[in-house]
Structures are given as C-alpha cells and as structure tokens.
Amino acid sequence: MFTSMLEGNMKPYRQNGFDPKNEPGSAKHHNDQKATNVFAQKHNVSRTKRGEVLGSRGGFRGCTIWFTGLSGAGKTTISFALEEYLVARGIPAYGLDGDNVRTGLNKNLGFAPEDREENIRRVAEVGKLFADSGVVALCSFVSPYNNDRELARQLHKSVGLPFFEIHVATSLEECEKRDVKGLYKKARAGIIKGFTGIDQPYEIPVNPEVTINTENRTVDDCVQQIVEILQENDIVPRSAVEKVIDLTVSEANLPKAIEEAEKLPSVEITKLDCQWLQVLGEGWATPLTGFMREREYLQCQHFNCLLDDGVTNQSVPIVLPISTEDKEKLAGCKQFTLRYNGVAKAIIRDPEFYEHRKEERCARQFGMFNDGHPYIKMINDSGDWLVGGDVDVLGRILWNDGLDQYRLTPNQLRAQFREMHADAVFAFQLRNPVHNGHALLMNDCKRQLVERGFKKPVLLLHPLGGWTKDDDVPLSVRMEQHKAIMDEGVLDPESTVLAIFPSPMMYAGPTEVQWHAKARMSTGANFYIVGRDPAGMPHPDPPKRDIYEPTHGGKVLRMAPGLTQLEIIPFKVAAYDMKAKAMAFFDPHRKEDFDFISGTRMRGLAR
C-alpha cells in the first residue's frame, strides 16, 4: 500500500557520490549570530487576527509538524497527503521537503554533521515563520540527530508556537525493501557514503508526539493518526477529523446500559424516529452526538451547517419531536429511555426541550408548507416540542426483514474498502431500481477514474433504506433488482459494494441532496454521483410540475460548504438509443433517436 505511493514521491537521495570534506559550503559555526545592530520587530497584526482571515476555518492554527525517519520511510508521502487533507478542509498548510529546500535555500550545504545541523536550523526557522503566519508547516527531513530536532522544538517553544515531532518509524528492513531508486543498494555497496542508517547513525526520537509505523497501512490511516492528535491539541476542529462518531454502546457495556435504561422514565418513539436514531447511532451524522439541541438546530436551519468547532455541512435537521404530555412527564429528568414497540432502544442524556415551529421548519427545509407533501404531513402530525441531547444507542438497530446483512455501518464499509484495496470510492444513491442508464453512468465514472490514474476504484451502490412515500418501489424489491444486475455483470461485482443507507427520504431537493452526499463521506467516499432532480418529487398541487428545478441539486452540491473534499461527478443524461439498440449518452443533435426512461416511468414498470 505504502510502497505504491512512495514510487510517485521518492526522489533521488541527496547523498549520491558525496564527500563532505570537499563540500565548499561546509561550516562549523552556523548558529553564531554574526550580524550586529539587528533587533526583532513586532508585527502590527496579531496571530488572532491572522487566524480570523487566513483559511476558511476561523482561529489561529499555526504550528510546525516535523516528520523524521529513515530515507524511504514515507515522510514526504504522509506530509504531502496531510497537506492536501488540511487544505481541502480550509486549513492553510505547506510542505517543506528536504529535496526542495536543498535545491534552493540550503543548496550550499552538504551532509557533514555540522551541515546537517545548519540544514535543520534553517528549516526550523522557516517553519517557525510559516507557523507564526497561521500556516501549518509540514517539515519532512531525515534529521537523524536528537539535538537538532530538539533545537527545532525549542525555537518554536521560545515564541509560544506548537511543535509536533512525528517519528515515521518504518524499519530499515522495510525501507531497503522499498528502495525504489536503488539507493540503499548503492550504500551497501559503498558507492554512496554517509547514508543514514547504513554508515551514518539515526537517533530514534526519545518522546515524539506521534510514532507511525507505515507497514501494512494506508497513507490515509497514517494521516488520520496525525489529524486526531492535532484535534486533541486544538490545531484542527473536530469537524476536520474523519473519525466516525459511533454512538452505539459496546457489547461489553451493553448489559449495564440496558439495566439502567429499564429503570429510567421512558417515551415511545415512531418508526421514523427509530430510523433517525439508527442514522445517529451508526455515525452517519458525525459529528452529532445525539438529536439536535436548539443551537445545532438553528445552525442547520439557517446555515445548512454546524458551526461549532469548525464548519460541517448538515443541511437537514435530525430532531426528535415529542408531545406536550411527554414533555411535562419528563420535566426535570436528567436522562430518559427511548422505546420503540416497547423495547428500550436508547438513553437520551441531559435533554433540552424547545418549541417545534413546524411551519418555519418546513418553509426553510422544503421551501413550502403543504400537507400534500408526505414528509411535511408527518412533521405537521408530530409533537409540538423537540428534544435534543446526547444518545447512547443500546446495540445495533436491526429490522429483521431479511436485509440487515446489507445495512453496513460507515466503519464496516471503510473496513471493506480497505480489504478491497480501494484507492477511490465513488458513491451512487438511488431510491429507484437501477436501469441501464444508471449502469452506463456508473461504469463511465469508473472509466474516468481509471483514466485519471486510480488503480482500484470501488463503487458504493447505496440505495436509501429508510422511509419512502407510498408510491415508491419497496426496498426489498429494489434490493433484489440491484443484486440481480450485479449477478449478471451489468455492474462488476468485484469492484462494487451493495449496501443500504438507513436514512429516511424527505424529498427536500437540493437541501436534502447535501445530506446524502455528506453522509457518504463518513464511509470514506471521495467521489459522489449526483443525478437529475435528486431528492425531488412532483408538486402536490396543479398544474403538473416539479417542486425543485431538476439541475439545482447538482449545482448546489458543487458550491455547498463543508463538502470540498468530496468531488461531485455530474449527471450525464442517458437514454435508449433506438438506432444503436443500446443505452447511450444523449446526443441533442439526433434527439428523435432516443427514448427516455424517467424515474417515474421506471417506478411504474417496477411496481
């Protein structure tokens, strides 16, 4: 996994044929202050002010992350991947690599110990300037000596800037095995002198903030290990961490939690509420830790985002309606149990009750308040209060309908993609049977990704499995059809994962399609195919028309905040080419040759 990445990032080692005795730039006293009458100048702009305007995530985040390890360990690979990750999330970062620095700023330095020391000192000073500007400086250098790395740390500590030492602890044996450029082989043969790990020492860090072993791990896993440390130290917001927040009580703690739940006051919830509880419990709505409190609800309604601890796209409210009677019964409770069909499903803690302003909610979410819209009718029929609070879900929610094996959680899907060695995951949501136009689109997407250099793109075929309106095709029928097209090879079963997305359908158009895309990010998907009129439906009132403009869903997705790390694959119109007698992408120059199969027509045929 790591070796393939290194092949694209490894560069010739700087020591080829080098004799430090003959290097003209070598010097012993690089740390001496030679210039006189020089005084440090204080900036007019504070770090706090820089943090407010630099990047798209407020707050000062400047720091230096120092990657150290043997040549070929994966320092630059991880560093550049982390740079890409942070920048995609609106956090400014810049990678300082040994080769790049030695061809410019430090081109007069060799590899004698004193030159190595000066190389690190200069880089540390540059990193400090980047960090002070509010940028995350990513420094990737062998930096074999503890003293030099400690000097870099102290330079930052002296001015109050965070410094993180990352030991990329790939073994010498593995580095030699990866030896893409044959440098270790040359060092072993004596052709290269002064090669760290062979005839120059590498001093293992004494107390690094992070130690990473890259063997049998993906680059993304290594990046996430660092991101989690940065989040713990308030360098990046929680929303930048791709760790799924699973709210399900572990099997070890489940008996005790159920015992507690049986002793608490309880309320009965609907099937719709239980589906949303499943969405929360499995982590699809990360970073939510329960049903929305009023502050989260207002952010969602007015900004389509959660704004605390970074910007996270959350375009639909995940709320729990409750009756006035139940609200009064639970007054003063610090926690209570949620039951479905009498069975304890979750404990909600530190509850907060607030008014369920139904018309305002619907007007903002759907752009209308019309009982002819089936989800709006359910909102109108629900409780007059909302209750928010953290939830502990009492075990996996199962429906025992013969389809639970397809209800894979985000963490289960991530694990499956790793087992498949996927280097790209493209997701396709649907609530209709797959027709040949869909298949053409998905196969074309795979072709594009392969042409872009991905070796194992995997399709997540992810039908929505929560509540849908009565005239939609039942989930069981859709799943049988989806499985059949894989069995027949219309979609490659070796590179396709069929799973159920547990969310209910709201038919909220461009507002809802953001939720569909955001939720798939929790699985590790980095590409999302958006169709025509996603999450749309016909207007309930005459004249005959759609509620939402069909192309707005795709347009909104490409502009939506908090989704920049997800590449949107636009929908290409496909239809049956009556001349070619096969599905093809629509050619407007001969439109008379095409027969269109709409979702409505497909649903009618399937039913």
Side-chain angles (χ1 to χ4, degrees):
M1 286 176 279
F2 227 93
T3 306
S4 62
M5 290 293 293
L6 282 165
E7 288 174 355
N9 288 292
M10 282 291 289
K11 299 170 287 294
Y13 196 80
R14 284 73 62 185
Q15 296 167 325
N16 283 350
F18 175 74
D19 182 352
K21 297 177 185 177
N22 300 325
E23 180 68 6
S26 184
K28 294 182 178 180
H29 304 290
H30 291 298
N31 290 330
D32 295 345
Q33 177 73 47
K34 295 182 179 179
T36 59
N37 298 315
V38 175
F39 305 95
Q41 301 297 308
K42 187 175 181 180
H43 289 271
N44 293 334
V45 179
S46 68
R47 289 175 184 169
T48 301
K49 180 57 68 176
R50 287 196 200 105
E52 291 175 358
V53 299
L54 191 62
S56 61
R57 295 186 185 261
F60 181 82
R61 307 191 185 282
C63 68
T64 290
I65 302 174
W66 194 279
F67 296 86
T68 176
L70 295 172
S71 175
K75 301 180 298 299
T76 297
T77 300
I78 299 172
S79 171
F80 283 0
L82 178 58
E83 178 186 28
E84 182 180 19
Y85 181 96
L86 294 174
V87 170
R89 286 153 182 81
I91 299 170
Y94 189 83
L96 293 165
D97 170 66
D99 278 6
N100 295 342
V101 169
R102 281 190 176 273
T103 57
L105 177 67
N106 292 350
K107 66 181 180 181
N108 65 322
L109 298 177
F111 293 90
E114 60 269 26
D115 280 8
R116 286 182 178 273
E117 177 184 349
E118 172 61 6
N119 181 54
I120 298 308
R121 188 196 69 79
R122 292 184 191 177
V123 171
E125 291 283 6
V126 172
K128 184 180 74 171
L129 292 173
F130 270 95
D132 189 51
S133 75
V135 173
V136 177
L138 306 164
C139 302
S140 307
F141 295 83
V142 173
S143 47
Y145 303 122
N146 279 318
N147 283 344
D148 294 346
R149 296 191 298 266
E150 183 59 25
L151 169 66
R153 182 187 295 275
Q154 291 304 320
L155 281 172
H156 289 73
K157 186 177 180 180
S158 65
V159 292
L161 288 167
F163 182 92
F164 301 90
E165 185 178 17
I166 313 295
H167 180 206
V168 186
T170 311
S171 67
L172 176 62
E173 179 184 12
E174 176 66 18
C175 289
E176 289 200 62
K177 197 183 298 181
R178 295 176 181 174
D179 194 12
V180 179
K181 302 293 183 180
L183 302 175
Y184 279 97
K185 185 177 180 180
K186 291 179 181 178
R188 291 288 186 190
I191 300 171
I192 298 176
K193 303 294 184 183
F195 195 97
T196 302
I198 304 299
D199 56 358
Q200 270 198 9
Y202 178 81
E203 297 174 2
I204 295 174
V206 177
N207 191 27
E209 278 70 20
V210 181
T211 299
I212 296 177
N213 187 342
T214 64
E215 297 172 45
N216 299 315
R217 292 183 67 189
T218 65
V219 177
D220 286 344
D221 281 344
C222 297
V223 166
Q224 282 303 308
Q225 186 179 345
I226 301 169
V227 170
E228 288 177 23
I229 293 296
L230 296 179
Q231 194 269 321
E232 290 172 11
N233 286 272
D234 297 323
I235 300 299
V236 301
R238 184 179 65 177
S239 58
V241 182
E242 283 192 354
K243 186 175 183 180
V244 175
I245 299 178
D246 191 316
L247 306 179
T248 308
V249 176
S250 67
E251 288 188 17
N253 296 324
L254 190 55
K256 185 177 179 181
I258 291 176
E259 182 182 355
E260 178 189 6
E262 295 299 338
K263 297 175 182 177
L264 293 173
S266 66
V267 294
E268 186 75 14
I269 60 175
T270 67
K271 184 176 182 179
L272 182 70
D273 297 331
C274 196
Q275 290 174 351
W276 282 118
L277 182 64
Q278 180 177 9
V279 166
L280 288 168
E282 295 176 358
W284 296 99
T286 296
L288 285 178
T289 57
F291 287 105
M292 287 178 172
R293 301 177 188 275
E294 187 177 38
R295 179 179 174 85
E296 295 167 321
Y297 173 72
L298 290 174
Q299 291 175 359
C300 167
Q301 285 275 276
H302 290 270
F303 308 113
N304 281 1
C305 290
L306 302 176
L307 302 177
D308 295 332
D309 203 10
V311 177
T312 302
N313 189 284
Q314 183 60 53
S315 60
V316 301
I318 301 181
V319 291
L320 181 60
I322 196 166
S323 69
T324 301
E325 180 184 358
D326 282 336
K327 174 183 177 289
E328 292 174 351
K329 180 179 76 172
L330 297 169
C333 290
K334 294 295 183 184
Q335 53 264 326
F336 60 88
T337 299
L338 302 179
R339 295 182 180 275
Y340 175 61
N341 288 339
V343 179
K345 291 295 182 182
I347 297 172
I348 186 165
R349 302 188 187 278
D350 191 21
E352 175 189 347
F353 298 90
Y354 54 102
E355 184 183 0
H356 190 184
R357 299 180 62 83
K358 300 173 185 178
E359 182 175 358
E360 181 183 357
R361 173 186 172 184
C362 293
R364 290 191 178 280
Q365 183 175 346
F366 300 92
M368 60 163 46
F369 187 59
N370 185 321
D371 259 6
H373 187 295
Y375 203 95
I376 291 176
K377 185 177 190 311
M378 290 194 296
I379 290 174
N380 227 5
D381 292 343
S382 67
D384 292 333
W385 298 90
L386 298 175
V387 58
D390 293 349
V391 297
D392 295 333
V393 181
L394 303 175
R396 284 286 305 279
I397 292 176
L398 302 174
W399 298 97
N400 300 313
D401 56 358
L403 299 175
D404 283 328
Q405 73 270 25
Y406 291 107
R407 293 184 173 95
L408 303 179
T409 69
N411 281 328
Q412 288 175 324
L413 285 167
R414 283 174 178 259
Q416 188 159 343
F417 297 146
R418 282 195 296 270
E419 289 174 11
M420 297 172 73
H421 304 294
D423 56 358
V425 176
F426 59 110
F428 186 60
Q429 163 170 305
L430 62 171
R431 59 182 172 93
N432 297 311
V434 175
H435 58 62
N436 283 334
H438 292 145
L440 178 65
L441 180 63
M442 289 182 273
N443 286 322
D444 185 67
C445 181
K446 180 180 179 181
R447 176 193 61 77
Q448 292 179 50
L449 293 174
V450 170
E451 288 179 356
R452 287 169 57 172
F454 292 100
K455 295 180 179 178
K456 189 64 186 293
V458 170
L459 166 65
L460 172 58
L461 184 62
H462 215 200
L464 184 138
W467 174 88
T468 56
K469 54 190 175 69
D470 292 341
D471 61 347
D472 278 346
V473 179
L475 177 62
S476 58
V477 176
R478 287 185 278 136
M479 291 302 293
E480 286 183 24
Q481 193 262 355
H482 298 342
K483 188 174 182 302
I485 64 164
M486 291 176 62
D487 291 342
E488 294 177 11
V490 177
L491 296 175
D492 178 14
E494 297 300 314
S495 61
T496 302
V497 174
L498 174 61
I500 293 173
F501 177 44
S503 175
M505 188 76 190
M506 289 164 280
Y507 307 93
T511 297
E512 184 178 1
V513 75
Q514 296 174 64
W515 157 243
H516 292 166
K518 180 258 184 182
R520 274 35 180 255
M521 286 163 52
S522 64
T523 70
N526 38 18
F527 297 90
Y528 185 79
I529 303 173
V530 60
R532 177 190 176 278
D533 194 21
M537 62 169 278
H539 200 289
D541 295 336
K544 184 178 179 181
R545 64 198 189 280
D546 292 330
I547 298 176
Y548 310 105
E549 203 282 330
T551 67
H552 282 183
K555 291 174 180 177
V556 166
L557 266 190
R558 286 187 284 275
M559 298 185 286
L563 298 179
T564 53
Q565 61 269 43
L566 189 70
E567 184 172 334
I568 306 303
I569 307 296
F571 182 80
K572 296 165 85 172
V573 177
Y576 184 73
D577 187 335
M578 293 181 288
K579 280 192 173 179
K581 300 189 184 305
M583 292 300 294
F585 292 121
F586 176 63
D587 181 356
H589 297 296
R590 50 186 193 90
K591 57 185 179 182
E592 66 279 356
D593 295 334
F594 288 88
D595 183 17
F596 288 90
I597 303 177
S598 67
T600 302
R601 181 176 168 191
M602 174 59 72
R603 287 192 293 273
L605 293 170
R607 291 184 68 86

